[in-house]
Amino acid sequence: MGEVVDIVLGLILGAILMYWLFSLFRKKRNKEITEEQSTVILNKIRSVCKLVSVEGDFAEIYHYENTKDSFMSLFRSKKKALIIIKAKAHIGYDLNKLDMKAENDKKKIILSHFPEPEVLSIEPDLQFYDIKNGIFNSFSPTDLTNLNQEAKEHIKQKIPESGLMETAKNEALQAVLVVEKIVETIGWTLDYSALEISNREKQFIEE
């Protein structure tokens, strides 16, 4: 009878030990999966990299003039042109600058800082008019590259007064909601309560 009791107790203890080992393995496995999910979602958000929220079209008249001294400054040769700059500027957010951390146990991504809008790209299209070459100073193929760069800088200086940055700031909430949708694709939630959101924007979220 005693042997039977010992066998039963051994089986019970063995079953408890196996259950404990199984629970420990499952808990460790779930933790690894959760940590892997958080890494995937953070990388996925950053892989979007740059999010365009506002696009603006510009049309500017640019007077280009260049004077070159020749023959030990005895002669001055001038080249000039009237250039119509048509450009498309993209304003948005660099998502690499987001401050985020993952709470693996709660399957939550905490967004504590959202970057300011910035100029992501400027695509200029130049049209030349009234081109005048100097005797010793004429337009060369490299001038086009330099003028494209100058055109970008010219448009970049016009952006602050265009109102595009303010418009992009107003679209910041939409950008946050895009990030939230990405997070929700794997069943996680985004906590952006640390961000400053106006009452109007809160009402928009609730609707």
Side-chain angles (χ1 to χ4, degrees):
M1 184 69 179
E3 293 181 357
V4 174
V5 172
D6 290 341
I7 292 172
V8 171
L9 288 175
L11 290 173
I12 293 173
L13 290 173
I16 293 173
L17 179 62
M18 288 297 295
Y19 178 78
W20 180 77
L21 290 173
F22 176 74
S23 298
L24 184 65
F25 174 77
R26 185 174 61 180
K27 185 176 180 181
K28 183 180 179 182
R29 179 62 178 165
N30 288 339
K31 183 180 179 182
E32 289 176 352
I33 292 174
T34 301
E35 289 179 351
E36 183 179 345
Q37 282 182 327
S38 67
T39 302
V40 168
I41 192 64
L42 291 174
N43 289 337
K44 188 174 182 180
I45 291 171
R46 290 192 174 96
S47 69
V48 176
C49 193
K50 294 181 179 180
L51 182 66
V52 177
S53 61
V54 178
E55 182 179 275
D57 293 315
F58 291 83
E60 295 284 332
I61 298 175
Y62 184 59
H63 294 273
Y64 174 81
E65 189 173 296
N66 176 270
T67 302
K68 180 180 179 182
D69 292 336
S70 302
F71 300 104
M72 300 177 65
S73 300
L74 294 175
F75 297 97
R76 282 194 167 186
S77 185
K78 183 186 293 184
K79 63 182 176 185
K80 59 182 181 178
L82 180 66
I83 306 171
I84 305 297
I85 305 173
K86 293 183 179 180
K88 195 176 291 293
H90 296 116
I91 314 296
Y93 300 90
D94 186 349
L95 299 187
N96 282 312
K97 296 180 180 179
L98 293 175
D99 284 344
M100 298 181 296
K101 67 177 182 179
E103 287 191 354
N104 296 326
D105 55 333
K106 298 179 180 179
K107 289 192 174 184
K108 181 190 296 183
I109 300 294
I110 298 177
L111 178 59
S112 56
H113 170 73
F114 200 80
E116 290 293 314
E118 59 186 79
V119 180
L120 299 180
S121 68
I122 297 176
E123 302 171 2
D125 178 27
L126 307 184
Q127 298 177 6
F128 291 81
Y129 296 92
D130 194 24
I131 300 175
K132 293 181 180 179
N133 290 307
I135 298 174
F136 304 107
N137 188 14
S138 58
F139 284 92
S140 66
T142 56
D143 286 329
L144 181 60
T145 301
N146 294 333
L147 284 170
N148 264 283
Q149 188 59 41
E150 288 186 29
K152 285 184 178 181
E153 290 300 321
H154 180 73
I155 295 300
K156 194 172 183 178
Q157 293 173 7
K158 296 289 182 180
I159 288 175
E161 62 190 53
S162 69
L164 287 177
M165 287 298 185
E166 287 72 17
T167 303
K169 285 182 179 180
N170 294 334
E171 296 291 331
L173 178 60
Q174 295 296 334
V176 172
L177 294 179
V178 169
V179 175
E180 184 177 38
K181 292 298 181 184
I182 295 174
V183 172
E184 289 175 351
T185 57
I186 62 168
W188 284 51
T189 58
L190 178 69
D191 181 356
Y192 49 91
S193 58
L195 301 181
E196 293 184 3
I197 299 176
S198 67
N199 291 330
R200 184 178 63 83
E201 290 172 331
K202 288 179 180 177
Q203 184 178 1
F204 173 80
I205 295 174
E206 292 172 356
E207 292 176 355

